[in-house]
Structures are given as C-alpha cells and as structure tokens.
Amino acid sequence: MIIILDYGSQYAQLIARRVRECNVYSELVAHDITAARVRELRPEGIILSGGPASVYEQDAPRLDPAILDLGIPILGICYGMQLIMDMLGGKVERRTEKREYGRAALRVDTASALFVGIEDSFTAWMSHGDSCVVLADGFRRIASTDSLEQAAVEQAARKIYGVQFHPEVAHTVKGMDVLKNFIFGICQAQAVWTMANYIETEVKRIRATVGSGRVLLGLSGGVDSTTVAALLHKAVGNQLICMFIDQGFLRQGEARRVADLIAKHMRIRLVQVDAAQRFMERVKGISDPEEKRRRIGNEFVRTFEAEARKIGNFQFLAQGTLYPDVIESAVSGGTQAKTAAKIKTHHNVGGLPADMQFKLLEPLRWLFKDEVRRLGRELGLHEDLVNRHPFPGPGLAIRIIGEITPERVRVLQEADAIVMGEIKAAGWYDKIWQVPVILLPEVRTVGVMGDARTYGMTCAVRCVTSEDAMTARAAHLPWELLEKISARVINEVPEITRVCYDISSKPPATIEWE
Ligand code: XMP
C-alpha cells in the first residue's frame, strides 16, 4: 500500500487513482497523521500531495517529523517537496519573477532511481508560486527547467524524493513512468491490487459480517448500486433483497428496464415500489429547487422505511458509498475536501429512523468510480449497465424548472428519450459524462408550424465531459447532431417549440440546472 498525505491539492485524489492504476492499493490520509499511525498502516511508500499553502506561512500544514525517519520511501510533490526541504533545513521562497505555471520543459538526471529508464527531457506540469532556493543538507538536484533550478531533488540513501512538477496529471508526459519508478523501483511495492482480488476479499468479508442475516439494498439502476447488488448476491445469494422505488421522475420506461434487468439477468430478489403518485402530491405547487429536493428526499426515506417494514426483519442495510465520499468526510485537510463535501450533501438520502435496527454495509467504500466500473465488469454486469451515465436521485424533478406537473414530466420524458436516442445512435454516449435535458415550462416562445402559430415550452440540452463531476465542460457535439436533436424534439413533442444547447462550464455553472 502507498499512502498519500493530503495537503489540499485538487490533484490529491488523482494521485491515489494513478497509484491504483498501477495495481497498487493506495489510501488518502490527513496530513496530520502521526508517525506511529503510519507505522501501523505499514505502507510501502508515502506520497505528500501538493497544496495551496506556502511553507513559510504561519498556519501552513506540516508533517510529523518522525515520519521522515521511519525508513519508508517518501515522495513529496510540489508543496510536499517544499515541505520536506523546509523541514530538513533547506529554503523555500516566493518566486517574484518567472513564476512557473503550466507546461515546462524538464531536464532530468536519469542516474536517479526516480528517472531511470525515462528520456532525459520531457514536458511537465507545474503549478505553484513558491520554489526551493537552497537545498536541504544531503540532498542533490535531479531535475531542472530553464527558470527553475531545483525541479526535483533526492537523498537516495534515505529514499526521500521531491518533485516540483505534478507527475499525476496527464500533461506531464512521463508522469506515470516517474510514479512507477517510485512505486516499484524505490518502494518495491507489488502489483497485486486487482478487481478479481477485491471481489475475493470482499466476498469473504461480507460473508463473515453478514452470517445468516438478511441484507436490504436500495437499488436505483445506476452502476454503483447495481454493482453492490451483484457483489452482495455473489456473497450471500438470496439473503439479499433489493428495493427499487419508482418516484415517478425516472426516464421514460426506466422502471421497467431496471426491473427486467435485475430480475432476469441477475436473478436477484427485487421488491419494486410504484410511488409516483405519492411523490407527485408531495411536490405539487412547489417551485423552489431546495424545497423540491427536501420534499423528495423526505418522501424517499418515508417510503423506503414503510416498505422495509413490510419486508420483515433485516440486519444489514447496504449502500453504494464510494471512496471519494469517504475521503470527503474523513480527510479534513484540504479546502477541496470541504467544498466537495458541501456540494455533495444533497446527494445523500439522509438517515433512516433510529428505531430501525440494522448495520450499514458499504462494500464499495474503498473504490473510485472507474474501479467500480471495472468491478462491475469483473462481476459480469452487462456493458450497458457498466457504462451508464450518472443520474440524480431526485431524477427529472430537478430538471423541470419551476412547478412539477404530470404533464411536464411526460413532456420531459419524451424529449429526453429523443435526445438520449440520438446521442447513442451517433456514438457519443460513451465519450461523455452526462446529458441532462432540462424543461423550462414557463419560458414560452412563439414558433410556427405548417401555417399555424405555436406558443410552447423551451427545452435545454446539456452535454458535458467530465472526469468526476467536480469540473465539467460542454461537449463539442457536431452541429448536424444538435440540429437533428432540435428538429426531432420540436417535431415530435408538440408542447416544445424551442431547443437550446447549454455551453456553460462547471464551475461556474453546475451540471444540473435545478
Ligand atoms: P451538479 O449539478 O452539482 O452535479 O454539478 C454533479 C453531479 O451530481 C449529480 N447529482 C446527483 N446525484 N443525487 C445523485 O445521486 C442527487 O441528488 C444529485 N444531484 C446532482 C449530477 O447529475 C452530476 O452528475
């Protein structure tokens, strides 16, 4: 295992993912972890992430100095390198001129174990206003750029390394090679983290935990909960009961599709609840997006609870919690963690009543999204399911701006089905993150069809690319495809007379409109 100390870099999670891509398990931990705790974890290596602070600032995050003496190889990235230099007697200063941001041509010393086997110059990504001007004792320079003398340093005898650039980002051409040199060459880690191993360990763990108990899982049809279902089913078979609640805001035909898939292909016990009418009554007359979410969330918990009671005794409730959610609540360090946590609170359904006695099972809590997809594949889930786009819990309700009515839901379902159909037919589905279609029922505009004047609703199409939904960009869909989508929606959904394409990025916009 490699542990990554989080100093608040936007790339901290990315480092953890990159390590796992090398089939080595990694965990992100708070930067104030003690040396004693690190020793308990017995990692093969330690990476210090970058971060927005400057080492000479008063409240700058530090490192337990005893960690440097554990004899475990250490790689400091950006702020991590500056911190090591500062702690061991080097000097870090703000660069007044020639600040290095973005791409830089790096020249490296391939005699260093960190760069062995790599070309002696490559493009690297930099992003910090500080740099190390005096090396700590016992360190030597192993890379530089035109404007930065100490772009990487080492004290090979103690296996301590530092890089001022970011090997984890794709813009650093040989970044993966540098990380591999550290992970395998310097740390001597073994590449044993595979999804097949994960299944084996988790199945054992789940069996030991659950025993002869019963497990309830709320299933949405998304990749996370479906993968949990497949994993639990493999572990405990019919002791697993899945519950699928149709709140009435799903895509056209979705409830049937999910039920068919689960029942036929996975042979899992499924309780299907049609709660559409109840949810519709709860949101009647409500336009405020937060109030809509609150009501839908509450109703979901209430419905789940009532239906769960009908199922009888169960001792475990399973959830598709992923590693990024765990990090957000566990790692307190970074500013990113805090903002991310805040943005995400709305995704959680909230607690079930205290008098229901059960334990939580979260068998995906160590995985990133791309790993969940690999796990799903390994478990034999259909490719359509594994590659599914994310879909928000409150569904189309947050894609109807203003009041929700049954007619508006139907209109949006029709438009959404056309858009999704065209996106898939054009081969774009697997290239993009998500395609929200939004209905603006109160923005009415004039149109003309045949000889008649029309006056209908507006619909917006938003198609974004993203790695993790934290940031997103509008996809550059071909003009012809957009025109075809627009023409089909307006022709086939008479209530809609205008289609717009949303080109905003996140930030500053969000993916959903609400
Ligand atoms: P925003 O709109 O915040 O969305 O940029 C980020 C991602 O989260 C999804 N999303 C949700 N997912 N329950 C979910 O399971 C929710 O309540 C929810 N709200 C937004 C959104 O679709 C996007 O992928």
Side-chain angles (χ1 to χ4, degrees):
M1 169 172 67
I2 303 284
I3 59 170
I4 294 119
L5 272 58
D6 182 5
Y7 286 92
S9 163
Q10 55 176 328
Y11 301 129
Q13 283 193 31
L14 191 56
I15 303 171
R17 273 169 50 197
R18 292 289 183 246
V19 175
R20 291 184 183 195
E21 280 169 25
C22 301
N23 293 331
V24 172
Y25 183 61
S26 66
E27 262 188 39
L28 209 59
V29 299
H31 60 77
D32 55 6
I33 188 169
T34 62
R37 179 70 189 130
V38 172
R39 204 181 296 118
E40 276 169 22
L41 291 172
R42 302 202 307 160
E44 280 127 342
I46 300 169
I47 297 179
L48 313 183
S49 86
S54 289
V55 286
Y56 45 76
E57 280 166 6
Q58 260 222 321
D59 296 324
R62 309 295 294 182
L63 170 75
D64 178 350
I67 291 178
L68 295 169
D69 297 323
L70 289 174
I72 302 170
I74 298 179
L75 172 65
I77 296 178
C78 197
Y79 180 81
M81 158 171 160
Q82 293 157 11
L83 185 61
I84 295 172
M85 288 297 98
D86 187 67
M87 289 178 68
L88 295 177
K91 197 158 189 237
V92 174
E93 276 181 0
R94 178 155 200 83
R95 292 166 66 90
T96 42
E97 291 159 45
K98 290 203 208 154
R99 283 217 250 153
E100 199 123 42
Y101 283 102
R103 277 165 230 263
L106 196 72
R107 290 179 301 276
V108 305
D109 178 354
T110 53
S112 164
L114 198 59
F115 299 126
V116 68
I118 304 177
E119 287 144 45
D120 57 9
S121 72
F122 55 87
T123 302
W125 187 259
M126 305 270 182
S127 125
H128 210 279
D130 294 340
S131 68
C132 169
V133 288
V134 180
L135 290 186
D137 268 355
F139 278 82
R140 73 176 190 106
R141 174 182 72 188
I142 51 172
S144 58
T145 73
D146 278 346
S147 62
L148 181 71
E149 211 174 320
Q150 332 286 3
V153 299
E154 74 170 14
Q155 187 173 14
R158 288 170 82 186
K159 297 195 174 161
I160 300 181
Y161 297 80
V163 291
Q164 181 60 63
F165 61 93
H166 286 274
E168 71 277 20
V169 307
H171 305 287
T172 297
V173 188
K174 300 288 170 188
M176 268 318 255
D177 294 326
V178 175
L179 287 176
K180 280 183 185 161
N181 276 348
F182 178 68
I183 296 167
F184 298 117
I186 297 164
C187 302
Q188 305 269 306
Q190 300 292 312
V192 290
W193 169 254
T194 64
M195 284 307 125
N197 281 344
Y198 189 83
I199 294 173
E200 203 180 309
T201 332
E202 275 306 309
V203 163
K204 273 192 207 140
R205 199 205 307 246
I206 293 165
R207 281 185 188 147
T209 314
V210 172
S212 59
R214 299 210 309 162
V215 186
L216 178 63
L217 167 69
L219 199 82
S220 68
V223 55
D224 302 344
S225 62
T226 317
T227 304
V228 176
L231 184 61
L232 285 171
H233 190 250
K234 188 176 174 71
V236 299
N238 269 348
Q239 287 161 256
L240 170 71
I241 304 150
C242 293
M243 184 152 70
F244 178 83
I245 297 176
D246 176 1
Q247 17 74 322
F249 308 130
L250 298 173
R251 297 203 142 113
Q252 197 176 58
E254 180 78 353
R256 164 103 43 86
R257 233 183 346 261
V258 171
D260 279 358
L261 203 82
I262 302 298
K264 281 194 196 132
H265 302 295
M266 298 171 69
R267 304 194 176 283
I268 286 177
R269 290 170 70 185
L270 180 72
V271 178
Q272 206 173 351
V273 183
D274 180 0
Q277 213 173 345
R278 254 201 329 254
F279 276 81
M280 188 57 80
E281 274 157 27
R282 292 286 293 148
V283 297
K284 205 166 160 187
I286 305 298
S287 296
D288 179 70
E290 285 302 313
E291 182 62 14
K292 265 188 213 171
R293 276 187 175 278
R294 205 182 57 73
R295 288 178 176 233
I296 293 170
N298 285 346
E299 189 58 34
F300 192 90
V301 173
R302 203 171 305 165
T303 309
F304 194 86
E305 186 204 347
E307 297 297 326
R309 284 189 199 283
K310 290 186 201 161
I311 290 171
N313 253 354
F314 62 93
Q315 293 73 41
F316 299 91
L317 180 73
Q319 283 189 342
T321 315
L322 300 194
Y323 193 46
D325 307 326
V326 177
I327 296 172
E328 279 156 19
S329 45
V331 179
S332 54
T335 41
Q336 173 214 8
K338 282 175 197 147
T339 36
K342 192 165 138 232
I343 293 165
K344 273 259 182 152
T345 46
H346 61 235
H347 299 182
N348 302 328
V349 161
L352 284 167
D355 69 321
M356 290 186 84
Q357 298 285 322
F358 53 76
K359 295 196 187 92
L360 269 188
L361 275 186
E362 296 175 316
L364 307 184
R365 60 181 284 116
W366 312 108
L367 303 184
F368 289 107
K369 189 89 180 178
D370 47 330
E371 292 176 312
V372 173
R373 295 208 159 105
R374 272 163 47 205
L375 178 66
R377 257 185 220 117
E378 187 82 32
L379 284 162
L381 294 187
H382 195 277
E383 204 56 24
D384 282 357
L385 238 157
V386 171
N387 287 329
R388 244 166 192 233
H389 289 172
F391 188 70
L396 301 181
I398 60 167
R399 295 180 180 173
I400 294 172
I401 308 308
E403 208 179 309
I404 303 168
T405 66
E407 192 218 9
R408 290 174 177 183
V409 173
R410 178 191 50 79
V411 170
L412 180 53
Q413 278 174 335
E414 285 174 17
D416 177 78
I418 294 169
V419 176
M420 295 314 290
E422 287 298 332
I423 293 282
K424 282 181 183 161
W428 273 86
Y429 188 87
D430 290 337
K431 296 184 202 158
I432 51 187
W433 176 263
Q434 219 178 356
V435 192
V437 179
I438 302 104
L439 189 66
L440 309 174
E442 281 146 33
V443 179
R444 297 202 163 233
T445 66
V446 174
V448 53
M449 264 186 135
D451 290 328
R453 178 184 183 277
T454 55
Y455 189 56
M457 305 179 196
T458 305
C459 140
V461 176
R462 176 149 176 72
C463 180
V464 295
T465 56
S466 174
E467 273 225 13
D468 52 12
M470 295 297 298
T471 60
R473 286 187 65 194
H476 293 207
L477 291 187
W479 208 241
E480 295 69 26
L481 175 59
L482 286 168
E483 276 180 334
K484 191 166 177 205
I485 285 174
S486 164
R488 276 200 60 200
V489 169
I490 295 173
N491 280 324
E492 296 173 37
V493 188
E495 292 84 355
I496 295 177
T497 46
R498 207 164 286 265
V499 174
C500 302
Y501 189 57
D502 179 0
I503 55 169
S504 336
S505 306
K506 172 183 180 174
T510 50
I511 294 178
E512 303 292 348
W513 279 36
E514 319 215 6

